[in-house]
PDB file of all heavy atoms in Angstrom:
ATOM      1  N   VAL A 184       9.637  -7.952  12.936  1.00 89.00           N
ATOM      2  CA  VAL A 184       8.887  -8.047  14.058  1.00 89.00           C
ATOM      3  C   VAL A 184       7.813  -8.993  14.085  1.00 89.00           C
ATOM      4  O   VAL A 184       7.748  -9.873  14.969  1.00 89.00           O
ATOM      5  CB  VAL A 184       8.380  -6.622  14.532  1.00 89.00           C
ATOM      6  CG1 VAL A 184       7.348  -6.722  15.775  1.00 89.00           C
ATOM      7  CG2 VAL A 184       9.496  -5.589  14.886  1.00 89.00           C
ATOM      8  N   TRP A 187       9.559 -12.385  14.363  1.00 92.00           N
ATOM      9  CA  TRP A 187       9.978 -12.586  15.783  1.00 92.00           C
ATOM     10  C   TRP A 187       8.786 -13.103  16.679  1.00 92.00           C
ATOM     11  O   TRP A 187       8.815 -13.958  17.387  1.00 92.00           O
ATOM     12  CB  TRP A 187      10.676 -11.318  16.336  1.00 92.00           C
ATOM     13  CG  TRP A 187      11.152 -11.368  17.729  1.00 92.00           C
ATOM     14  CD1 TRP A 187      11.768 -12.423  18.412  1.00 92.00           C
ATOM     15  CD2 TRP A 187      11.245 -10.260  18.684  1.00 92.00           C
ATOM     16  NE1 TRP A 187      12.169 -12.081  19.625  1.00 92.00           N
ATOM     17  CE2 TRP A 187      11.845 -10.761  19.884  1.00 92.00           C
ATOM     18  CE3 TRP A 187      10.875  -9.013  18.593  1.00 92.00           C
ATOM     19  CZ2 TRP A 187      12.079  -9.910  20.937  1.00 92.00           C
ATOM     20  CZ3 TRP A 187      11.017  -8.122  19.774  1.00 92.00           C
ATOM     21  CH2 TRP A 187      11.652  -8.639  20.863  1.00 92.00           C
ATOM     22  N   ILE A 188       7.664 -12.280  16.403  1.00 94.00           N
ATOM     23  CA  ILE A 188       6.477 -12.653  17.265  1.00 94.00           C
ATOM     24  C   ILE A 188       5.977 -14.094  16.958  1.00 94.00           C
ATOM     25  O   ILE A 188       5.597 -14.771  17.891  1.00 94.00           O
ATOM     26  CB  ILE A 188       5.332 -11.563  17.023  1.00 94.00           C
ATOM     27  CG1 ILE A 188       5.795 -10.252  17.646  1.00 94.00           C
ATOM     28  CG2 ILE A 188       4.009 -12.064  17.596  1.00 94.00           C
ATOM     29  CD1 ILE A 188       4.677  -9.066  17.380  1.00 94.00           C
ATOM     30  N   HIS A 196      -0.307 -14.403  19.489  1.00 96.00           N
ATOM     31  CA  HIS A 196       0.394 -13.087  19.693  1.00 96.00           C
ATOM     32  C   HIS A 196       0.380 -12.245  18.389  1.00 96.00           C
ATOM     33  O   HIS A 196       0.378 -11.036  18.383  1.00 96.00           O
ATOM     34  CB  HIS A 196       1.787 -13.305  20.286  1.00 96.00           C
ATOM     35  CG  HIS A 196       1.831 -13.735  21.643  1.00 96.00           C
ATOM     36  ND1 HIS A 196       2.973 -14.014  22.299  1.00 96.00           N
ATOM     37  CD2 HIS A 196       0.891 -14.141  22.459  1.00 96.00           C
ATOM     38  CE1 HIS A 196       2.674 -14.349  23.569  1.00 96.00           C
ATOM     39  NE2 HIS A 196       1.420 -14.468  23.736  1.00 96.00           N
ATOM     40  N   LEU A 199      -2.956 -10.661  17.993  1.00 95.00           N
ATOM     41  CA  LEU A 199      -3.098  -9.509  18.947  1.00 95.00           C
ATOM     42  C   LEU A 199      -2.309  -8.251  18.525  1.00 95.00           C
ATOM     43  O   LEU A 199      -2.766  -7.195  18.573  1.00 95.00           O
ATOM     44  CB  LEU A 199      -2.600 -10.034  20.293  1.00 95.00           C
ATOM     45  CG  LEU A 199      -2.571  -8.926  21.511  1.00 95.00           C
ATOM     46  CD1 LEU A 199      -4.045  -8.614  21.842  1.00 95.00           C
ATOM     47  CD2 LEU A 199      -1.957  -9.571  22.788  1.00 95.00           C
ATOM     48  N   ASN A 200      -1.114  -8.509  18.033  1.00 93.00           N
ATOM     49  CA  ASN A 200      -0.268  -7.511  17.438  1.00 93.00           C
ATOM     50  C   ASN A 200      -0.983  -6.820  16.330  1.00 93.00           C
ATOM     51  O   ASN A 200      -0.907  -5.592  16.247  1.00 93.00           O
ATOM     52  CB  ASN A 200       1.176  -7.988  17.068  1.00 93.00           C
ATOM     53  CG  ASN A 200       2.027  -6.923  16.546  1.00 93.00           C
ATOM     54  OD1 ASN A 200       2.357  -5.947  17.157  1.00 93.00           O
ATOM     55  ND2 ASN A 200       2.361  -7.109  15.163  1.00 93.00           N
ATOM     56  N   GLY A 201      -1.513  -7.604  15.445  1.00 92.00           N
ATOM     57  CA  GLY A 201      -2.269  -7.104  14.258  1.00 92.00           C
ATOM     58  C   GLY A 201      -3.378  -6.187  14.639  1.00 92.00           C
ATOM     59  O   GLY A 201      -3.538  -5.201  14.012  1.00 92.00           O
ATOM     60  N   VAL A 203      -3.949  -4.635  17.532  1.00 94.00           N
ATOM     61  CA  VAL A 203      -3.520  -3.355  18.204  1.00 94.00           C
ATOM     62  C   VAL A 203      -2.928  -2.393  17.250  1.00 94.00           C
ATOM     63  O   VAL A 203      -3.247  -1.138  17.240  1.00 94.00           O
ATOM     64  CB  VAL A 203      -2.561  -3.651  19.311  1.00 94.00           C
ATOM     65  CG1 VAL A 203      -1.989  -2.420  19.931  1.00 94.00           C
ATOM     66  CG2 VAL A 203      -3.355  -4.536  20.493  1.00 94.00           C
ATOM     67  N   THR A 204      -2.223  -2.870  16.318  1.00 91.00           N
ATOM     68  CA  THR A 204      -1.505  -2.140  15.259  1.00 91.00           C
ATOM     69  C   THR A 204      -2.597  -1.430  14.390  1.00 91.00           C
ATOM     70  O   THR A 204      -2.504  -0.255  14.203  1.00 91.00           O
ATOM     71  CB  THR A 204      -0.530  -2.942  14.390  1.00 91.00           C
ATOM     72  OG1 THR A 204       0.453  -3.458  15.233  1.00 91.00           O
ATOM     73  CG2 THR A 204       0.093  -2.071  13.330  1.00 91.00           C
ATOM     74  N   ALA A 207      -4.424   1.293  16.444  1.00 94.00           N
ATOM     75  CA  ALA A 207      -3.557   2.439  16.723  1.00 94.00           C
ATOM     76  C   ALA A 207      -3.300   3.197  15.396  1.00 94.00           C
ATOM     77  O   ALA A 207      -3.233   4.440  15.403  1.00 94.00           O
ATOM     78  CB  ALA A 207      -2.232   1.907  17.218  1.00 94.00           C
ATOM     79  N   LEU A 234      11.981   9.580  18.406  1.00 94.00           N
ATOM     80  CA  LEU A 234      11.144   8.644  19.203  1.00 94.00           C
ATOM     81  C   LEU A 234      11.098   7.269  18.596  1.00 94.00           C
ATOM     82  O   LEU A 234      11.167   6.255  19.136  1.00 94.00           O
ATOM     83  CB  LEU A 234       9.840   9.169  19.425  1.00 94.00           C
ATOM     84  CG  LEU A 234       8.795   8.419  20.334  1.00 94.00           C
ATOM     85  CD1 LEU A 234       9.344   8.187  21.680  1.00 94.00           C
ATOM     86  CD2 LEU A 234       7.469   9.102  20.409  1.00 94.00           C
ATOM     87  N   TYR A 235      10.976   7.269  17.280  1.00 91.00           N
ATOM     88  CA  TYR A 235      10.899   6.060  16.451  1.00 91.00           C
ATOM     89  C   TYR A 235      12.329   5.266  16.667  1.00 91.00           C
ATOM     90  O   TYR A 235      12.286   4.037  16.915  1.00 91.00           O
ATOM     91  CB  TYR A 235      10.682   6.292  15.012  1.00 91.00           C
ATOM     92  CG  TYR A 235      10.579   5.048  14.214  1.00 91.00           C
ATOM     93  CD1 TYR A 235       9.212   4.598  13.945  1.00 91.00           C
ATOM     94  CD2 TYR A 235      11.484   4.351  13.642  1.00 91.00           C
ATOM     95  CE1 TYR A 235       8.933   3.434  13.166  1.00 91.00           C
ATOM     96  CE2 TYR A 235      11.278   3.180  12.959  1.00 91.00           C
ATOM     97  CZ  TYR A 235       9.975   2.794  12.674  1.00 91.00           C
ATOM     98  OH  TYR A 235       9.881   1.646  11.959  1.00 91.00           O
ATOM     99  N   LEU A 237      14.338   5.535  19.185  1.00 94.00           N
ATOM    100  CA  LEU A 237      14.487   5.090  20.588  1.00 94.00           C
ATOM    101  C   LEU A 237      13.662   3.764  20.732  1.00 94.00           C
ATOM    102  O   LEU A 237      14.119   2.743  21.395  1.00 94.00           O
ATOM    103  CB  LEU A 237      14.123   6.068  21.592  1.00 94.00           C
ATOM    104  CG  LEU A 237      14.917   7.245  21.699  1.00 94.00           C
ATOM    105  CD1 LEU A 237      14.293   8.254  22.668  1.00 94.00           C
ATOM    106  CD2 LEU A 237      16.280   6.839  22.340  1.00 94.00           C
ATOM    107  N   SER A 238      12.412   3.765  20.127  1.00 93.00           N
ATOM    108  CA  SER A 238      11.624   2.538  20.133  1.00 93.00           C
ATOM    109  C   SER A 238      12.285   1.415  19.464  1.00 93.00           C
ATOM    110  O   SER A 238      12.252   0.257  20.030  1.00 93.00           O
ATOM    111  CB  SER A 238      10.125   2.866  19.483  1.00 93.00           C
ATOM    112  OG  SER A 238       9.454   1.759  19.458  1.00 93.00           O
ATOM    113  N   ALA A 239      12.814   1.637  18.333  1.00 89.00           N
ATOM    114  CA  ALA A 239      13.549   0.551  17.573  1.00 89.00           C
ATOM    115  C   ALA A 239      14.777   0.044  18.312  1.00 89.00           C
ATOM    116  O   ALA A 239      14.980  -1.153  18.342  1.00 89.00           O
ATOM    117  CB  ALA A 239      13.977   1.082  16.166  1.00 89.00           C
ATOM    118  N   ALA A 241      15.061   0.072  21.542  1.00 95.00           N
ATOM    119  CA  ALA A 241      14.543  -0.678  22.645  1.00 95.00           C
ATOM    120  C   ALA A 241      14.188  -2.099  22.192  1.00 95.00           C
ATOM    121  O   ALA A 241      14.518  -3.202  22.864  1.00 95.00           O
ATOM    122  CB  ALA A 241      13.492  -0.046  23.430  1.00 95.00           C
ATOM    123  N   MET A 242      13.457  -2.183  21.061  1.00 92.00           N
ATOM    124  CA  MET A 242      13.094  -3.562  20.588  1.00 92.00           C
ATOM    125  C   MET A 242      14.343  -4.379  20.108  1.00 92.00           C
ATOM    126  O   MET A 242      14.371  -5.567  20.385  1.00 92.00           O
ATOM    127  CB  MET A 242      12.161  -3.260  19.274  1.00 92.00           C
ATOM    128  CG  MET A 242      11.384  -4.488  19.092  1.00 92.00           C
ATOM    129  SD  MET A 242      10.010  -4.315  17.919  1.00 92.00           S
ATOM    130  CE  MET A 242       9.147  -2.924  18.473  1.00 92.00           C
ATOM    131  N   MET A 245      15.887  -5.731  23.322  1.00 95.00           N
ATOM    132  CA  MET A 245      15.067  -6.888  23.704  1.00 95.00           C
ATOM    133  C   MET A 245      15.411  -8.188  22.909  1.00 95.00           C
ATOM    134  O   MET A 245      15.666  -9.286  23.442  1.00 95.00           O
ATOM    135  CB  MET A 245      13.517  -6.636  23.601  1.00 95.00           C
ATOM    136  CG  MET A 245      13.108  -5.725  24.699  1.00 95.00           C
ATOM    137  SD  MET A 245      11.328  -5.366  24.487  1.00 95.00           S
ATOM    138  CE  MET A 245      10.567  -6.987  24.583  1.00 95.00           C
ATOM    139  N   ARG A 252       8.786 -10.582  25.466  1.00 96.00           N
ATOM    140  CA  ARG A 252       7.350 -10.314  26.208  1.00 96.00           C
ATOM    141  C   ARG A 252       6.515  -9.511  25.312  1.00 96.00           C
ATOM    142  O   ARG A 252       6.917  -8.509  24.808  1.00 96.00           O
ATOM    143  CB  ARG A 252       7.772  -9.552  27.531  1.00 96.00           C
ATOM    144  CG  ARG A 252       8.507 -10.366  28.474  1.00 96.00           C
ATOM    145  CD  ARG A 252       8.391  -9.711  29.844  1.00 96.00           C
ATOM    146  NE  ARG A 252       9.287 -10.257  30.955  1.00 96.00           N
ATOM    147  CZ  ARG A 252      10.221 -11.075  30.944  1.00 96.00           C
ATOM    148  NH1 ARG A 252      10.706 -11.549  29.803  1.00 96.00           N
ATOM    149  NH2 ARG A 252      10.850 -11.503  32.025  1.00 96.00           N
ATOM    150  N   ILE A 253       5.338 -10.158  25.078  1.00 96.00           N
ATOM    151  CA  ILE A 253       4.438  -9.504  24.104  1.00 96.00           C
ATOM    152  C   ILE A 253       4.048  -8.090  24.450  1.00 96.00           C
ATOM    153  O   ILE A 253       3.847  -7.354  23.562  1.00 96.00           O
ATOM    154  CB  ILE A 253       3.278 -10.443  23.798  1.00 96.00           C
ATOM    155  CG1 ILE A 253       2.540 -10.050  22.494  1.00 96.00           C
ATOM    156  CG2 ILE A 253       2.361 -10.601  24.939  1.00 96.00           C
ATOM    157  CD1 ILE A 253       3.314  -9.994  21.282  1.00 96.00           C
ATOM    158  N   ALA A 254       3.702  -7.811  25.657  1.00 97.00           N
ATOM    159  CA  ALA A 254       3.224  -6.507  26.162  1.00 97.00           C
ATOM    160  C   ALA A 254       4.234  -5.393  25.703  1.00 97.00           C
ATOM    161  O   ALA A 254       3.764  -4.425  25.024  1.00 97.00           O
ATOM    162  CB  ALA A 254       2.803  -6.482  27.551  1.00 97.00           C
ATOM    163  N   PRO A 255       5.479  -5.479  26.057  1.00 97.00           N
ATOM    164  CA  PRO A 255       6.408  -4.413  25.616  1.00 97.00           C
ATOM    165  C   PRO A 255       6.526  -4.338  24.112  1.00 97.00           C
ATOM    166  O   PRO A 255       6.719  -3.288  23.579  1.00 97.00           O
ATOM    167  CB  PRO A 255       7.683  -4.809  26.279  1.00 97.00           C
ATOM    168  CG  PRO A 255       7.398  -5.769  27.359  1.00 97.00           C
ATOM    169  CD  PRO A 255       6.161  -6.345  27.022  1.00 97.00           C
ATOM    170  N   ILE A 256       6.521  -5.452  23.585  1.00 96.00           N
ATOM    171  CA  ILE A 256       6.736  -5.502  22.030  1.00 96.00           C
ATOM    172  C   ILE A 256       5.543  -4.773  21.350  1.00 96.00           C
ATOM    173  O   ILE A 256       5.753  -3.912  20.545  1.00 96.00           O
ATOM    174  CB  ILE A 256       6.791  -6.877  21.508  1.00 96.00           C
ATOM    175  CG1 ILE A 256       8.110  -7.542  21.970  1.00 96.00           C
ATOM    176  CG2 ILE A 256       6.711  -6.941  19.947  1.00 96.00           C
ATOM    177  CD1 ILE A 256       8.314  -8.961  21.689  1.00 96.00           C
ATOM    178  N   ILE A 257       4.348  -5.017  21.784  1.00 96.00           N
ATOM    179  CA  ILE A 257       3.136  -4.417  21.265  1.00 96.00           C
ATOM    180  C   ILE A 257       3.145  -2.894  21.550  1.00 96.00           C
ATOM    181  O   ILE A 257       2.851  -2.041  20.750  1.00 96.00           O
ATOM    182  CB  ILE A 257       1.879  -5.128  21.704  1.00 96.00           C
ATOM    183  CG1 ILE A 257       1.726  -6.373  21.066  1.00 96.00           C
ATOM    184  CG2 ILE A 257       0.614  -4.207  21.424  1.00 96.00           C
ATOM    185  CD1 ILE A 257       0.574  -7.285  21.515  1.00 96.00           C
ATOM    186  N   ALA A 258       3.674  -2.523  22.806  1.00 97.00           N
ATOM    187  CA  ALA A 258       3.789  -1.124  23.125  1.00 97.00           C
ATOM    188  C   ALA A 258       4.715  -0.372  22.203  1.00 97.00           C
ATOM    189  O   ALA A 258       4.368   0.668  21.737  1.00 97.00           O
ATOM    190  CB  ALA A 258       4.152  -0.983  24.612  1.00 97.00           C
ATOM    191  N   LEU A 259       5.868  -1.079  21.928  1.00 96.00           N
ATOM    192  CA  LEU A 259       6.861  -0.457  21.086  1.00 96.00           C
ATOM    193  C   LEU A 259       6.355  -0.350  19.646  1.00 96.00           C
ATOM    194  O   LEU A 259       6.568   0.614  18.891  1.00 96.00           O
ATOM    195  CB  LEU A 259       8.129  -1.173  21.256  1.00 96.00           C
ATOM    196  CG  LEU A 259       8.971  -1.061  22.471  1.00 96.00           C
ATOM    197  CD1 LEU A 259      10.083  -2.000  22.563  1.00 96.00           C
ATOM    198  CD2 LEU A 259       9.379   0.370  22.698  1.00 96.00           C
ATOM    199  N   VAL A 260       5.723  -1.430  19.201  1.00 94.00           N
ATOM    200  CA  VAL A 260       5.087  -1.396  17.885  1.00 94.00           C
ATOM    201  C   VAL A 260       4.050  -0.244  17.707  1.00 94.00           C
ATOM    202  O   VAL A 260       3.972   0.483  16.672  1.00 94.00           O
ATOM    203  CB  VAL A 260       4.496  -2.653  17.464  1.00 94.00           C
ATOM    204  CG1 VAL A 260       3.706  -2.644  16.177  1.00 94.00           C
ATOM    205  CG2 VAL A 260       5.660  -3.731  17.262  1.00 94.00           C
ATOM    206  N   THR A 261       3.344  -0.130  18.732  1.00 95.00           N
ATOM    207  CA  THR A 261       2.187   0.992  18.807  1.00 95.00           C
ATOM    208  C   THR A 261       2.897   2.430  18.749  1.00 95.00           C
ATOM    209  O   THR A 261       2.414   3.276  18.028  1.00 95.00           O
ATOM    210  CB  THR A 261       1.328   0.839  20.063  1.00 95.00           C
ATOM    211  OG1 THR A 261       0.743  -0.440  20.011  1.00 95.00           O
ATOM    212  CG2 THR A 261       0.279   1.920  20.076  1.00 95.00           C
ATOM    213  N   VAL A 262       4.020   2.503  19.567  1.00 95.00           N
ATOM    214  CA  VAL A 262       4.733   3.783  19.413  1.00 95.00           C
ATOM    215  C   VAL A 262       5.149   4.113  18.020  1.00 95.00           C
ATOM    216  O   VAL A 262       4.965   5.219  17.458  1.00 95.00           O
ATOM    217  CB  VAL A 262       5.922   3.828  20.419  1.00 95.00           C
ATOM    218  CG1 VAL A 262       6.795   5.043  20.145  1.00 95.00           C
ATOM    219  CG2 VAL A 262       5.414   3.835  21.825  1.00 95.00           C
ATOM    220  N   ASN A 263       5.715   3.028  17.360  1.00 91.00           N
ATOM    221  CA  ASN A 263       6.143   3.200  15.922  1.00 91.00           C
ATOM    222  C   ASN A 263       5.081   3.578  15.040  1.00 91.00           C
ATOM    223  O   ASN A 263       5.136   4.496  14.137  1.00 91.00           O
ATOM    224  CB  ASN A 263       6.905   1.994  15.461  1.00 91.00           C
ATOM    225  CG  ASN A 263       8.282   1.778  16.205  1.00 91.00           C
ATOM    226  OD1 ASN A 263       8.673   2.672  16.854  1.00 91.00           O
ATOM    227  ND2 ASN A 263       8.762   0.590  16.098  1.00 91.00           N
ATOM    228  N   VAL A 264       3.807   2.922  15.188  1.00 91.00           N
ATOM    229  CA  VAL A 264       2.699   3.227  14.336  1.00 91.00           C
ATOM    230  C   VAL A 264       2.237   4.571  14.664  1.00 91.00           C
ATOM    231  O   VAL A 264       1.912   5.363  13.616  1.00 91.00           O
ATOM    232  CB  VAL A 264       1.616   2.215  14.599  1.00 91.00           C
ATOM    233  CG1 VAL A 264       0.235   2.646  13.982  1.00 91.00           C
ATOM    234  CG2 VAL A 264       2.011   0.866  14.055  1.00 91.00           C
ATOM    235  N   LEU A 265       2.210   5.052  15.803  1.00 94.00           N
ATOM    236  CA  LEU A 265       1.768   6.485  16.124  1.00 94.00           C
ATOM    237  C   LEU A 265       2.669   7.537  15.604  1.00 94.00           C
ATOM    238  O   LEU A 265       2.225   8.555  15.075  1.00 94.00           O
ATOM    239  CB  LEU A 265       1.481   6.600  17.632  1.00 94.00           C
ATOM    240  CG  LEU A 265       0.422   5.707  18.209  1.00 94.00           C
ATOM    241  CD1 LEU A 265       0.276   5.849  19.670  1.00 94.00           C
ATOM    242  CD2 LEU A 265      -0.979   6.076  17.578  1.00 94.00           C
ATOM    243  N   VAL A 266       3.986   7.205  15.786  1.00 92.00           N
ATOM    244  CA  VAL A 266       5.005   8.145  15.191  1.00 92.00           C
ATOM    245  C   VAL A 266       4.852   8.311  13.648  1.00 92.00           C
ATOM    246  O   VAL A 266       4.846   9.443  13.177  1.00 92.00           O
ATOM    247  CB  VAL A 266       6.440   7.651  15.550  1.00 92.00           C
ATOM    248  CG1 VAL A 266       7.445   8.257  14.662  1.00 92.00           C
ATOM    249  CG2 VAL A 266       6.719   7.843  16.982  1.00 92.00           C
TER     250      VAL A 266
END
Side-chain angles (χ1 to χ4, degrees):
V184 172
W187 183 34
I188 291 172
H196 284 188
L199 180 62
N200 178 61
V203 172
T204 299
L234 183 58
Y235 188 94
L237 289 174
S238 174
M242 200 170 311
M245 285 177 62
R252 292 197 184 17
I253 193 63
I256 292 170
I257 289 177
L259 292 169
V260 167
T261 302
V262 167
N263 291 346
V264 167
L265 294 176
V266 163

